[in-house]
């Protein structure tokens, strides 16, 4: 019978393989800690809070003629309200569209008109949802035609 002698290079390969297996195992065991949640934001004191938002783009006609393309972002940090946002997306979209359609191009050509639209959206959505005053509405893009 032949006996195989193992040299240093054989042990080095085994050690590297073992370290690789251990590293991959550790990563898989703790993968939840490596996930990056797109809704996490850092606060001033360095803590991470979850912020849930609903962002959508709307293209619709305006009351006095013309069209608008607008991006609206609805954000909250309340867990219950986050769930309600995701469950009622179609209703929220419909409400936003009906409020936008009532505006004219002239109203939205002024900064105070855009701010009034944002406030209207904020008030109506806060009334509609069970979260009280915890929603924040942002208009991130607006183009009128």
């Amino acid at each position: 019978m032949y006996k195989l002698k193992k040299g240093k290079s054989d042990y080095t390969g085994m050690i590297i393989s073992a370290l690789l297996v251990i590293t991959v195992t550790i990563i898989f065991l703790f993968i939840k800690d490596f996930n990056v949640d797109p809704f996490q934001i850092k606060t001033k004191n360095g803590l991470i809070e979850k912020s849930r938002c609903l962002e959508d783009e709307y293209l619709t006609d305006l009351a006095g003629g013309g069209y608008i393309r607008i991006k609206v972002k609805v954000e909250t940090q309340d867990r219950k309200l986050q769930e309600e946002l995701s469950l009622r997306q179609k209703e929220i979209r419909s409400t936003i569209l009906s409020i936008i359609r009532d505006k004219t191009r002239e109203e939205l050509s002024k900064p105070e008109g855009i701010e009034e639209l944002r406030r209207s959206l904020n008030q109506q959505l806060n009334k509609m949802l069970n979260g009280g005053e915890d929603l924040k509405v942002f208009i991130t893009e607006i183009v009128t035609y």
Side-chain angles (χ1 to χ4, degrees):
M1 281 211 181
Y2 294 103
K3 290 188 177 182
L4 294 174
K5 290 187 176 181
K6 291 191 176 187
K8 288 185 178 182
S9 63
D10 293 333
Y11 289 117
T12 304
M14 288 176 35
I15 290 172
I16 290 173
S17 296
L19 287 174
L20 183 63
V21 168
I22 290 170
T23 303
V24 169
T25 304
I26 289 172
I27 289 173
F28 281 120
L29 287 175
F30 299 105
I31 194 77
K32 66 181 178 202
D33 295 333
F34 293 107
N35 283 341
V36 176
D37 188 344
F39 301 116
Q40 286 183 343
I41 55 173
K42 287 193 175 188
T43 60
K44 290 178 186 174
N45 60 5
L47 297 175
I48 294 179
E49 295 178 358
K50 290 211 175 204
S51 172
R52 176 71 179 162
C53 68
L54 178 67
E55 187 170 18
D56 209 350
E57 182 173 284
Y58 303 87
L59 176 63
T60 188
D61 53 331
L62 293 168
Y67 298 93
I68 186 171
R69 183 174 55 84
I70 186 170
K71 283 187 182 179
V72 178
K73 182 176 183 178
V74 181
E75 186 177 275
T76 184
Q77 296 198 13
D78 183 324
R79 175 73 76 199
K80 289 179 184 176
L81 206 49
Q82 290 173 7
E83 292 171 14
E84 191 172 2
L85 273 177
S86 61
L87 291 173
R88 298 178 70 184
Q89 285 183 11
K90 291 178 184 176
E91 188 179 350
I92 291 168
R93 183 172 175 79
S94 177
T95 300
I96 290 173
L97 278 170
S98 68
I99 292 170
I100 293 170
R101 284 187 190 121
D102 287 340
K103 302 296 180 183
T104 64
R105 189 187 324 187
E106 291 77 31
E107 289 175 318
L108 297 175
S109 66
K110 303 172 192 162
E112 53 273 357
I114 296 170
E115 179 57 25
E116 174 58 35
L117 172 62
R118 189 199 63 75
R119 275 195 305 268
S120 294
L121 292 170
N122 197 37
Q123 288 172 353
Q124 191 62 35
L125 292 177
N126 273 310
K127 279 186 210 173
M128 186 177 102
L129 299 171
N130 295 324
E133 297 291 320
D134 196 34
L135 282 181
K136 293 179 184 171
V137 175
F138 302 96
I139 296 175
T140 58
E141 190 176 313
I142 186 167
V143 179
T144 57
Y145 306 96

